[in-house]
Amino acid sequence: MAGGGAVVWGDLVPGTPSWYLWADVVGGALACVGLWLCRRWPVAASLVVIALSVPAAAASVAAGIAALVAALYRRPPAAVAVGVAWVAATLVRFAWRPPGLAPYPVWALVGVLFGGAITGWGILARTRRELLASLAERARRAEADQRLRAEEARRSERLGIAREMHDVLAHRLSLLAVHAGALEFNAGARPDEVAEAAGVIRTSAHQALQELRAVISVLRESPSAELPLTGLASLVEESRRAGMRIELDENDVRFADLPEATRRTAYRVVQEGLTNARKHAPGRPVTVVVSGAAGGELTVEVRNPLPAGREAAAELATTGGGAGLAGLEERVSLAGGRLERGSTDGGGFRLTARLPWPRERPHE
């Protein structure tokens, strides 16, 4: 108020009535009260304060602050409009009550420059504040996206571990179940046959533990890395030793010539097919057919007849209700292929995977 009072006393010319002095002071006080409302209604309250500054010179300082508040909290068009109103009110006041010491054009130029400085300063400060808020929001979103990506990576790693452990353990444990079942139901077996079966069980359990340990160690080092695989012949031979009757026809397809993703997926398809055959069709013959050529697609088919009364198992496999087939379908899809499963015309079950086979093996 000291500045406003100085303006009042400087503006008053000799002979000004005392009541006008008090009216000027009251107008300045009302303008100061109006400043409290400028934060809530920047444009409307600022225009009222600026209007009070025309008859009351004591309100001129408050009018300048009101114009600054409008520029700080409203968009540039509204801020410029309030700034123009402040300049217009100042020019009218200077014309009505000349300050003296300089001609009117000089004071008019000072008012225009001062009004432009106030409005520009407010717009610049508002823009800077919005920029900082935008950067802070962007940083917050980037941090949230980073957390989501990290969570997705952990989820992908967990799914990879679960899928690999299922592929490895389901095959090994089904072999153990077959040999243990043979011991349980063959009570009259000779001691050498019991010893042989027990040896096979021990070997399979040891291999299962070794593969499980290898899966965990490899995936811990690199979630995308997986165990090296042997050919389909060794996989089929393991199942044959468990008593399965399997016919393997590779049609001159060399397993080692396949791309890494195609080779691994084909191996898992055959492994899952043999595991399901042991569970749902024990004792029935299984046919594994591999065909295709580079530049086209690789077809891997595992089929077997079902025993009488196993229609439910066929339906389960057809609808994909098993976790193994669901994971296998996802694996085949990620490899760029498609998985087909269902009943055959002869009442059996067929599992077919069609995988891309590029002409040249990609560099990995």
Side-chain angles (χ1 to χ4, degrees):
M1 288 299 296
V7 173
V8 172
W9 287 105
D11 275 353
L12 288 178
V13 295
T16 301
S18 59
W19 65 266
Y20 193 87
L21 170 62
W22 291 110
D24 198 299
V25 172
V26 171
L30 291 176
C32 291
V33 173
L35 288 178
W36 291 96
L37 304 177
C38 287
R39 182 72 178 272
R40 186 171 183 180
W41 299 289
V43 175
S46 296
L47 291 177
V48 172
V49 172
I50 290 172
L52 285 174
S53 69
V54 175
S60 58
V61 176
I65 297 175
L68 178 62
V69 171
L72 286 173
Y73 294 100
R74 285 296 178 265
R75 295 185 179 276
V80 171
V82 174
V84 170
W86 183 89
V87 171
T90 301
L91 295 180
V92 171
R93 188 176 69 254
F94 284 169
W96 183 17
R97 303 170 61 191
L101 302 178
Y104 176 78
V106 174
W107 286 108
L109 179 61
V110 170
V112 171
L113 294 178
F114 195 69
I118 290 177
T119 304
W121 182 21
I123 292 176
L124 180 62
R126 181 178 184 272
T127 303
R128 181 177 180 274
R129 185 177 68 246
E130 290 181 346
L131 177 61
L132 293 177
S134 175
L135 292 177
E137 177 65 17
R138 187 179 302 176
R140 186 191 66 79
R141 290 183 179 179
E143 184 179 355
D145 291 343
Q146 180 64 25
R147 287 197 299 268
L148 288 177
R149 285 193 296 269
E151 180 62 28
E152 183 63 25
R154 287 193 293 268
R155 179 176 178 273
S156 178
E157 181 177 357
R158 289 194 296 268
L159 289 176
I161 293 174
R163 183 169 56 241
E164 196 68 17
M165 290 177 65
H166 173 272
D167 292 340
V168 172
L169 294 183
H171 176 68
R172 292 295 177 189
L173 293 180
S174 63
L175 290 176
L176 287 175
V178 170
H179 289 295
L183 284 178
E184 180 181 2
F185 292 105
N186 192 9
R190 300 191 308 272
D192 57 334
E193 293 178 343
V194 174
E196 181 182 357
V200 173
I201 292 175
R202 180 182 60 81
T203 301
S204 298
H206 178 72
Q207 290 177 344
L209 290 175
Q210 289 295 106
E211 292 186 1
L212 177 60
R213 186 179 297 111
V215 167
I216 294 176
S217 62
V218 169
L219 292 177
R220 183 177 297 163
E221 294 175 2
S222 175
S224 60
E226 296 185 8
L227 293 175
L229 300 178
T230 58
L232 296 180
S234 60
L235 177 63
V236 169
E237 186 59 31
E238 286 182 351
S239 297
R240 283 173 176 166
R241 288 197 298 267
M244 294 185 67
R245 291 179 293 164
I246 305 174
E247 179 183 352
L248 175 62
D249 186 2
E250 296 187 88
N251 291 304
D252 296 328
V253 175
R254 295 187 57 186
F255 194 69
D257 293 339
L258 297 173
E260 173 64 22
T262 304
R263 180 170 67 251
R264 184 170 296 278
T265 305
Y267 186 94
R268 296 308 186 194
V269 169
V270 175
Q271 188 179 58
E272 182 67 22
L274 295 179
T275 300
N276 287 339
R278 278 193 297 271
K279 290 176 10 181
H280 302 297
R284 306 294 285 175
V286 181
T287 302
V288 179
V289 180
V290 181
S291 61
E297 64 178 12
L298 177 72
T299 302
V300 181
E301 183 179 82
V302 182
R303 61 178 182 267
N304 61 274
L306 291 176
R310 299 305 295 268
E311 292 80 3
E315 182 181 356
L316 177 65
T318 303
T319 58
L325 286 178
L328 185 63
E329 185 174 15
E330 179 185 0
R331 181 187 287 271
V332 172
S333 177
L334 290 176
R338 61 188 186 277
L339 185 68
E340 302 171 1
R341 56 192 184 274
S343 302
T344 62
D345 295 336
F349 178 71
R350 176 180 57 85
L351 180 66
T352 305
R354 305 184 187 279
L355 304 168
W357 186 354
R359 186 172 300 277
E360 294 183 0
R361 183 173 178 177
H363 297 287
E364 300 175 10

